[in-house]
């Protein structure tokens, strides 16, 4: 059992460029955690520069979004997941947020690192945190648009750089590699068969806004 858990930890934590790492992680998300996933657009590295493989030359999340298939195709079916990544072994793993899956609150990487340090000093419990080169995403329990609207309305100040990945949204998961760089766990899930625990969105937004305000971090629009 220890050997199996150790292998799963390596699959979930290791940065890879395709192959067994991606398909193993995608199967864990889909079949063990019941998080619906689908393949994202692979990075296009022609011409000596990395760009998104989708038709949009101005894509704002290059290589980190669904295109073909679309987001509604996200599934927890093991056969579909194996088929996708057998045919597209370097495709990023895209989580369809909301519903049965976690949602997320994201902010630019530097303010996020400072905010997490402040939350650690407060003793706040966080679940997994996904890090891309420019943004970190804190996974939270699923929430409705109405719930989010009421929460934001109650805040005196909400940094404009906060983004919310709720129902109908998506998020690239480790160990994907996008046109912007690798996706990794800043706070990795504990290994095991059950889906990892995540906090409620209210606690995270309240704590992040307070942490950014108290530490004097002005999170820029990004």
């Amino acid at each position: 059992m220890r050997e199996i858990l150790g292998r799963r930890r390596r699959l979930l934590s290791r940065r890879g460029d395709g192959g067994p790492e991606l398909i193993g992680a995608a199967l864990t998300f889909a079949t063990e955690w019941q998080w619906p996933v689908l393949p994202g657009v692979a990075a296009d590295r022609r011409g000596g520069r990395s760009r998104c493989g989708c038709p949009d030359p101005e894509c704002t999340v290059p290589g980190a979004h669904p295109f073909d298939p679309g987001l509604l195709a996200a599934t927890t079916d093991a056969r579909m997941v194996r088929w996708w990544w057998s045919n597209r072994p370097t495709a990023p793993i895209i989580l369809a947020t909301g519903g049965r899956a976690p949602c997320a609150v994201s902010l630019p990487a530097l303010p996020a690192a400072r905010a997490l340090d402040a939350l650690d000093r407060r003793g706040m419990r966080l679940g997994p945190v996904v890090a891309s080169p420019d943004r970190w995403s804190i996974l939270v329990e699923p929430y409705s648009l109405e719930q989010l609207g009421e929460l934001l309305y109650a805040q005196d100040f909400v940094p404009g750089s906060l983004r919310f990945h709720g129902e109908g949204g998506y998020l690239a998961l480790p160990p994907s590699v996008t046109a912007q760089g690798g996706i990794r766990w800043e706070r990795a899930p504990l290994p095991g068969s059950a889906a990892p625990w995540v906090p409620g969105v209210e606690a995270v937004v309240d704590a992040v806004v307070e942490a950014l305000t108290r530490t004097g971090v002005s999170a820029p629009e990004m």
Side-chain angles (χ1 to χ4, degrees), residues 69 71 75 85 98 114 127 132 139 145 148 151-152 161 174-175 180 186-187 194 200:
L71 187 63
T75 184
W85 272 274
R114 294 176 178 172
S132 70
L139 299 189
L145 287 177
L148 179 63
L151 173 62
L152 297 181
S161 60
Q180 295 174 312
E186 174 61 29
R187 301 285 175 90

Side-chain angles (χ1 to χ4, degrees), residues 11 14-15 21 32 36 43-44 63 72 78 84 95 109 124-125 127-128 159 161 171 174 176 184 187 210 214 217:
L11 283 174
R14 185 169 55 187
R15 174 179 170 178
E21 300 85 39
E32 297 185 18
D44 183 352
L72 292 179
W84 274 333
L95 168 70
M124 179 176 175
R125 182 187 179 192
S161 60
L171 185 70
S176 302
R184 62 179 177 82
R187 301 285 175 90
E210 181 181 354
R214 286 194 174 189
V217 174

Side-chain angles (χ1 to χ4, degrees), residues 93-118:
I93 303 170
I94 303 298
L95 168 70
T97 55
R100 295 176 295 173
C103 294
V105 176
S106 73
L107 63 163
L110 181 57
R114 294 176 178 172
L116 260 61
D117 285 343

Side-chain angles (χ1 to χ4, degrees), residues 107 111-126 129 138 187 199 203-212 215:
L107 63 163
R114 294 176 178 172
L116 260 61
D117 285 343
L119 300 186
D120 287 341
R121 290 192 295 271
R122 288 180 48 184
M124 179 176 175
R125 182 187 179 192
L126 292 176
V129 177
I138 303 171
R187 301 285 175 90
V204 168
V205 171
D206 287 345
V208 166
V209 169
E210 181 181 354
L212 292 176
T215 56

Side-chain angles (χ1 to χ4, degrees), residues 144-159:
S144 66
L145 287 177
E146 292 78 12
Q147 180 184 5
L148 179 63
E150 292 176 1
L151 173 62
L152 297 181
Y153 182 77
Q155 301 291 325
D156 293 328
F157 164 75
V158 178

Side-chain angles (χ1 to χ4, degrees), residues 43 45 50-51 59-64 132-134 177-183:
R45 294 182 174 84
S50 188
R51 52 185 292 179
C59 181
T60 58
V61 283
S132 70
D134 60 346
V177 176
T178 74
Q180 295 174 312
I183 308 296

